[in-house]
Amino acid sequence: MAAVGTYTDNPGGKTSNIQKEVNEVVGIMQTNIDKVMERGEKLDTLQNKTDDLQQSSMQFKRGASRVRKEMWWKDMKVKIIIGCVLLLIILAIVIPLVTSSGPAAAPATQVQ
């Protein structure tokens, strides 16, 4: 409404007021464009970080799988070794009993 009062008071002032408003709008638009550009750059940076994080997670997954397999094999080796040791202990106990019980079962008679 101030523009109407200015127009009646000073006919040449209307043009300068409109030019000022246009300059203000242009300034606001430039600020908005700068903000949009900054936002775009931030989105690009965020996308790059997301890609890096995804690659890192894939490497971590592969490494975790490799470690899991290594630990499984290590555990299996320990179980096999324990089984072999137990088998040897059982054989060490059973074989002497079997071989000594054969002749001891039938007493030898001595001829005089």
Side-chain angles (χ1 to χ4, degrees):
M1 292 192 186
V4 174
T6 306
Y7 178 73
T8 57
D9 294 341
N10 184 4
K14 180 180 181 185
T15 312
S16 65
N17 285 338
I18 291 175
Q19 185 62 40
K20 286 179 187 177
E21 288 179 18
V22 168
N23 289 340
E24 287 177 18
V25 170
V26 167
I28 292 171
M29 290 302 293
Q30 287 177 344
T31 304
N32 288 343
I33 289 172
D34 290 340
K35 287 180 181 179
V36 168
M37 295 292 285
E38 288 175 14
R39 182 175 177 260
E41 291 172 0
K42 288 179 182 178
L43 287 175
D44 289 341
T45 303
L46 184 61
Q47 180 65 37
N48 291 338
K49 287 181 181 180
T50 303
D51 292 340
D52 291 344
L53 186 60
Q54 184 177 10
Q55 289 175 357
S56 296
S57 69
M58 292 300 290
Q59 289 176 351
F60 177 79
K61 183 178 180 182
R62 279 187 238 121
S65 295
R66 182 178 46 82
V67 169
R68 182 178 49 83
K69 288 177 185 177
E70 288 176 4
M71 293 306 292
W72 183 84
W73 276 112
K74 186 177 180 181
D75 187 45
M76 188 57 65
K77 287 177 187 177
V78 169
K79 287 179 182 179
I80 289 171
I81 290 171
I82 290 173
C84 289
V85 168
L86 288 175
L87 182 64
L88 289 174
I89 291 172
I90 291 172
L91 288 175
I93 293 172
V94 170
I95 289 176
L97 290 176
V98 169
T99 56
S100 66
S101 67
T109 54
Q110 293 182 347
V111 178
Q112 293 186 351

